[in-house]
Amino acid sequence: MSFINVDAGSDFSFHNLPYGVFSTDANPRHRLGVAIGDQILDLSIIKSLFRGPVMSKHQDVFDQPTLNAFMGLGHEAWTETRRTLQTLLSAQEATLRDDMGLRTRAFVHQNSATMHLPAHIGDYTDFYSSRDHATNVGIMFRGKENALMPNWLRLPVGYHGRASSVVVSGTPLRRPSGQMRPDQTKPPVFGPSKQLDIELEMAFFVGGGNQLGEPIPIDKAHEHIFGMVLMNDWSARDIQAWEYVPLGPFLGKNFGTTISPWVVPMEALMPFAEPNPVQVRTGSRAQCPSYLPQVDVCVMSDPEPLPYLQHQDPFTFNINLFVSLKGQNMTEAATICRSNFKFMYWTMKQQLTHHTVNGCNLRPGDLLASGTISGPDPDSFGSMLELSWRGSKSIDLGGGESRTFLKDGDEVVITGHCQADGYRVGFGPCAGIILPAL
């Protein structure tokens, strides 16, 4: 345990130690920090204490205004740094515990800090990896028989998003305007979106990148995944519906994407790893559409991924996720979604490997997102498109308030955490409020 007091309900336990970028009124310089309890440990103040074989040569990364340089050092550097932090913050270690002068300079209360984007995001890719979400949307627009496109169970579908409009939690988002075609018998119209939506997502930051033309094999993918954040991929459904054929999302997506400021390292999440989704399903002979007598196995409907996408090590994570909405006239926020990251069909290792299989080069600070995270039950649907079933029913917020899509002044907050016995590994809030269109 740590000499820093941490409440059992805090997202930022001694077992977490996420990285972020912060400033204060007294010192407006952007600098790297680690969250523990309600405190931030300023890494620029203690950089000389990183004396391991790797980080002793790279203490300068803790003077940088973003995490990119540290991310780029790779897996060995991240492991060594975490080990040092755990030692320095432990109750048995005197270096920080007993040096009150150093403690005064090194620790900042989170309430006095302003958080910033943790990295310069060079590129941003959004996947579409929740089977329940893809099925729900497919049913709405194509019917049950054609809910999943032919490629969906074969590869992690994704598209390249807009990195410049990724913002940190707490940044207001303006309602977008654009072309829509609400009446299919009439020409399109221009105006503010009337179907502004949220998407509950998570995302990971790429650490060490790869050279152009050199794919990352799946057995090495984990070495390139630095850590995770919460994400809200705001979406204008009416703009998106008119524009997305034939090239996919554009203005219905690129007006704003919010992420939480603290990057939870993968090492903190590994205790919460679970077996991956079964991507070749088996069953009894009686219910079998394709029985293989030579191995006494029934192969169900899901195709086996191609060899480059196959891995057996658990890389699915039990992360509880919540979405709350608070309108301007509401005194309390209403929880509209309870989901879990373990509902994803494609893993982050599969996403990263597929992204680079053609030789695409990823760089430190690139952001790869999960896509909307929906579960099997209606209260686990990760978008208002699903919760209202394309606007056909209201989402009850209590107190006489309801929504189908977002109104101006609505504040949406995504939270998430892994729960262990006596502590949490959490992410802090991912929040944004909707401003009126110009």
Side-chain angles (χ1 to χ4, degrees), residues 60-289:
D60 59 308
V61 298
F62 299 123
D63 277 325
Q64 300 301 311
T66 68
L67 284 164
N68 293 71
F70 176 51
M71 290 174 170
L73 293 179
H75 193 260
E76 187 179 356
W78 312 335
T79 301
E80 182 182 294
T81 298
R82 181 173 173 82
R83 204 160 49 234
T84 299
L85 287 167
Q86 288 173 326
T87 299
L88 290 171
L89 289 167
S90 71
Q92 291 73 41
E93 174 60 40
T95 305
L96 270 176
R97 185 194 65 198
D98 296 346
D99 189 334
M100 296 310 296
L102 180 58
R103 280 181 64 170
T104 299
R105 289 185 291 116
F107 285 99
V108 173
H109 199 284
Q110 288 192 33
N111 286 344
S112 65
T114 299
M115 300 305 298
H116 307 281
L117 283 176
H120 170 72
I121 302 169
D123 283 296
Y124 155 50
T125 299
D126 196 14
F127 286 93
Y128 188 53
S129 292
S130 161
R131 184 174 188 161
D132 291 292
H133 173 68
T135 300
N136 289 339
V137 173
I139 290 171
M140 287 181 214
F141 290 92
R142 292 185 298 274
K144 282 188 177 182
E145 298 304 315
N146 299 299
L148 289 181
M149 298 298 285
N151 63 353
W152 199 93
L153 292 169
R154 299 281 186 177
L155 57 86
V157 173
Y159 73 95
H160 292 286
R162 182 72 184 175
S164 66
S165 54
V166 178
V167 297
V168 74
S169 175
T171 305
L173 265 296
R174 190 168 295 281
R175 181 179 296 272
S177 294
Q179 278 196 38
M180 300 157 283
R181 195 178 185 186
D183 186 338
Q184 298 302 306
T185 67
K186 297 179 180 178
V189 296
F190 178 86
S193 170
K194 294 180 175 62
Q195 295 182 354
L196 185 55
D197 198 358
I198 58 103
E199 287 190 346
L200 166 63
E201 301 197 24
M202 297 195 73
F204 67 87
F205 276 100
V206 173
N210 60 305
Q211 294 297 314
L212 182 66
E214 298 181 6
I216 297 173
I218 202 157
D219 62 342
K220 298 290 186 182
H222 66 283
E223 298 179 5
H224 298 262
I225 300 174
F226 177 75
M228 297 186 71
V229 293
L230 303 174
M231 173 181 283
N232 185 350
D233 186 29
W234 307 89
S235 302
R237 300 299 184 190
D238 40 8
I239 296 174
Q240 181 183 359
W242 171 233
E243 73 177 2
Y244 83 100
V245 177
L247 293 181
F250 187 29
L251 302 185
K253 293 278 193 178
N254 69 4
F255 60 92
T257 301
T258 303
I259 63 171
S260 53
W262 293 106
V263 186
V264 176
M266 294 311 301
E267 195 168 345
L269 296 171
M270 288 311 299
F272 306 95
E274 297 191 351
N276 305 320
V278 177
Q279 294 178 328
V280 175
R281 301 187 186 275
T282 59
S284 68
R285 184 170 183 174
Q287 64 180 152
C288 190

Side-chain angles (χ1 to χ4, degrees), residues 391-435:
S392 64
K393 59 183 181 180
S394 294
I395 304 165
D396 182 23
L397 305 180
E401 290 275 350
S402 64
R403 296 286 188 278
T404 51
F405 293 99
L406 294 172
K407 292 184 178 181
D408 293 344
D410 283 351
E411 182 181 31
V412 177
V413 181
I414 296 173
T415 55
H417 67 268
C418 305
Q419 185 65 56
D421 185 13
Y423 72 89
R424 284 181 174 183
V425 172
F427 294 80
C430 175
I433 192 168
I434 299 301
L435 302 177

